[in-house]
Amino acid sequence: MIAATAEASPAYSYHGFLGSLEEADEYAAVDAALGLVDAGVPAERVLLELVAPAQVEIGERWARNEWSVAQEHAATHISERVVAAVVARVNPRPTRGRVVVACMDGEWHALPPRLVAEVLRLRGWQVTFLGASVPAVDLVSYLHRHDAHAVALACALPTRLPYAHRVIEACRRSDVPVVVGGRGFGHDGRWARRLGVAWAPDAPSAAELVADERALRRVQPADLSPQLADDEYASLVKRRGDLIDGALADLRDRVPGVREYTPAQLDSTVSDLGHIVDFLAAAVYVDDASLFAEFVEWLVTILVSRGVPASAVGFTLGHYAGELRDSPRAARFLGAAGALLDAGARSR
């Protein structure tokens, strides 16, 4: 193996690699990554210091409205091809037990858990990567058929936390230790702790946790009994459609321009109204106002970058608060998020 030099480093190659993704030049991107491996850079470093940060930048460019969805999808596809090429060049052979890696049902952000899977593979584990949106029944069935040392589950969106809780418990009933990761559990893993499951902030941490079975099984029980004992979360889910319809009608009254929206703009608006309900329901489920407040802050940033005023979000929060007066946690979370919006508007 050739010793890596300063020029043969992920940091040195990063901007050129990102440019290849921007130009949708798959061959240049693969050549850049394989060139690093051939120059002596460990494959794990190439994945975590070249591909991973480039993928973060791709997401941020979409959020800033600098890249379209099509550009983001094309770049992500190329990154997936790069990951496959890097691991194939090294061709690691398993020396340890099986680890199953999967995304929650309804989760389509498969590249981050794919990176976790490949880091585990590079460290000697026999990895089965089930990919995006794996139904719970199929995941549990697979665990019953194949002897797994552990299962690693990814959740990118907090809206999937109630479902994640059910999947985690189903895996445990199969006596398979679980480690979770992804932004859906909070940047600091706070909602993983609330669900009583081991959390890893990144791929190396996940690999270290999987290797330490005692630590993997040494987790606190879930602390959700007060909120699960009532029906506030279930009521929000049941009322979702009516809430969205009412909020859209309210926006048409308050913001006349909404009446002139194209079908595409209308679909996007309905989707955003639904996201607000979904994140509110997830916040109620884990009883954490910060989950909803962080989402509202992110949503306002995205919408403002696309020419939608922050006040439109404020109108919707107020409408939902009025409709949910009989749901104390939901009303409280809506009020707190609305107050943050008002404070931000005054400071600008």
Side-chain angles (χ1 to χ4, degrees):
M1 178 75 70
I2 301 172
T5 64
E7 289 76 15
S9 71
Y12 186 85
S13 302
Y14 175 75
H15 290 292
F17 179 76
L18 190 59
S20 299
L21 298 180
E22 185 172 11
E23 296 300 320
D25 189 340
E26 177 181 328
Y27 300 100
V30 171
D31 286 346
L34 293 183
L36 290 173
V37 174
D38 293 342
V41 179
E44 183 172 322
R45 283 192 59 202
V46 176
L47 297 182
L48 299 181
E49 298 177 27
L50 183 72
V51 180
Q55 195 63 24
V56 172
E57 176 62 21
I58 288 168
E60 291 178 352
R61 290 187 180 188
W62 171 83
R64 295 193 298 263
N65 204 28
E66 297 173 5
W67 278 22
S68 68
V69 171
Q71 287 176 293
E72 183 269 330
H73 284 187
T76 298
H77 170 72
I78 293 172
S79 292
E80 291 170 344
R81 298 278 290 177
V82 169
V83 171
V86 167
V87 177
R89 179 62 59 93
V90 179
N91 194 25
R93 299 291 174 159
T95 58
R96 309 167 89 168
R98 183 189 302 273
V99 179
V100 176
V101 182
C103 295
M104 304 289 180
D105 193 6
E107 289 276 0
W108 299 98
H109 297 83
L111 185 55
R114 172 73 184 278
L115 291 172
V116 172
E118 300 309 340
V119 167
L120 288 167
R121 199 186 313 276
L122 290 168
R123 295 194 182 193
W125 293 97
Q126 181 179 353
V127 178
T128 300
F129 180 59
L130 300 182
S133 191
V134 181
V137 63
D138 294 320
L139 173 60
V140 172
S141 175
Y142 189 90
L143 294 177
H144 281 304
R145 293 180 61 188
H146 299 274
D147 184 24
H149 171 81
V151 57
L153 300 175
C155 180
L157 297 172
T159 54
R160 303 303 293 165
L161 285 172
Y163 177 81
H165 187 207
R166 295 192 291 273
V167 174
I168 290 164
E169 293 304 314
C171 291
R172 283 176 171 162
R173 287 194 292 273
S174 301
D175 197 33
V176 181
V178 181
V179 58
V180 300
R183 293 183 180 181
F185 292 101
H187 65 87
D188 56 359
R190 71 186 75 170
W191 302 313
R193 290 190 292 274
R194 183 60 62 89
L195 298 182
V197 64
W199 171 78
D202 50 38
S205 300
E208 291 167 9
L209 191 53
V210 166
D212 186 348
E213 187 171 359
R214 292 180 62 185
L216 195 58
R217 293 183 180 272
R218 189 174 59 245
V219 294
Q220 296 297 317
D223 181 24
L224 290 171
S225 54
Q227 30 297 17
L228 291 181
D230 64 34
D231 62 355
E232 188 168 339
Y233 166 76
S235 176
L236 269 174
V237 173
K238 184 176 181 179
R239 297 174 62 183
R240 183 180 188 274
D242 290 339
L243 288 168
I244 293 171
D245 290 343
L248 182 60
D250 183 69
L251 275 180
R252 283 177 168 145
D253 290 339
R254 290 173 173 266
V255 185
V258 173
R259 302 172 190 170
E260 308 303 322
Y261 273 7
T262 65
Q265 289 175 312
L266 189 59
D267 286 346
S268 180
T269 300
V270 170
S271 178
D272 290 336
L273 295 175
H275 288 326
I276 293 173
V277 177
D278 294 340
F279 275 85
L280 179 61
V284 166
Y285 189 88
V286 296
D287 196 21
D288 190 342
S290 69
L291 188 159
F292 186 64
E294 290 173 8
F295 162 71
V296 169
E297 183 179 19
W298 174 86
L299 179 64
V300 167
T301 300
I302 296 296
L303 293 179
V304 168
S305 74
R306 288 153 173 76
V308 178
S311 59
V313 177
F315 293 152
T316 297
L317 297 183
H319 173 80
Y320 282 156
E323 293 295 312
L324 294 169
R325 289 188 298 271
D326 57 343
S327 300
R329 280 197 305 280
R332 185 169 72 252
F333 295 170
L334 286 160
L340 285 176
L341 276 186
D342 292 341
R346 288 193 298 270
S347 66
R348 286 194 290 270

